Amino acid sequence: MIEAKERAMGRALLFDIDGTLADTDALHREAFNRVFGPRGHVVDDERFKRELQGFSNVSIGERFLPDETPERRIAILDEKEAIFRGLVAGRIAPLPGLMALLDRADAAGIPMVAVTNAPRLNAELLLSGLGITERFKAIVIGDELPHGKPHPLPYQEGLRFVGASAAGSIAFEDSRSGVQSAAAAGIPTIGMRTTLGHADLVAAGAIASASAYDDPDLLARVATAMAW
């Protein structure tokens, strides 16, 4: 066990949550339409990918609700998040291969961190629903920092929590803003193709992409990087 801990020093796995641990983007899109539809915004798949996926609620409020006060924007987006939590409850399933990868990381002594722009209530609900809350050494919430994704700060904070180096770690992301955040922090990033395709993820800065965690190339990359 001591040998495993020594090999793991300076390494970490960092995960976004929505669309990365569980495929929840369609439910977010539905919740946005319920709240934004009456306000004149129709969110189709392309608009969701381009203007909503992975962005903080502060930036979403500024873009979609420019005529509202900051306080009113918060209230409207809190309503959206409450709708999402109602939609997702009881429907949270991990991407294929996730649990096996987390088991392997635990066995190798590799610390794991969740890094998200989602509100803390959402993050805690999804991690709890997956039964993996205790797996993570920290949950970094972008809206609780001076800058959320795509700024590198959330991932820099994730590395700091576990004393890991960027070069010795791997991040998993599904959105452009998330990939940009992790890549800007210097972390090799694998894009998960739950919503975006390979070309979009690589253009944002991912070194590779995968549709699930049982992808052989993903597993080989992680095994090499984590020295297990």
Side-chain angles (χ1 to χ4, degrees), residues 19-55:
T20 300
L21 298 178
D23 189 357
T24 54
D25 285 345
L27 298 178
H28 276 291
R29 189 168 63 249
E30 181 177 343
F32 275 122
N33 274 315
R34 290 192 189 183
V35 171
F36 286 166
R39 294 175 169 85
H41 298 289
V42 176
V43 180
D44 60 13
D45 186 55
E46 286 305 313
R47 192 174 192 189
F48 177 80
K49 294 176 187 178
R50 187 176 62 250
E51 300 181 39
L52 292 166
Q53 185 195 25
F55 287 96

Side-chain angles (χ1 to χ4, degrees), residues 138-159:
I139 304 173
V140 179
I141 306 295
D143 276 350
E144 295 176 0
L145 299 173
H147 304 285
K149 304 174 189 178
H151 194 280
L153 182 59
Y155 275 99
Q156 291 168 341
E157 282 293 288
L159 294 172

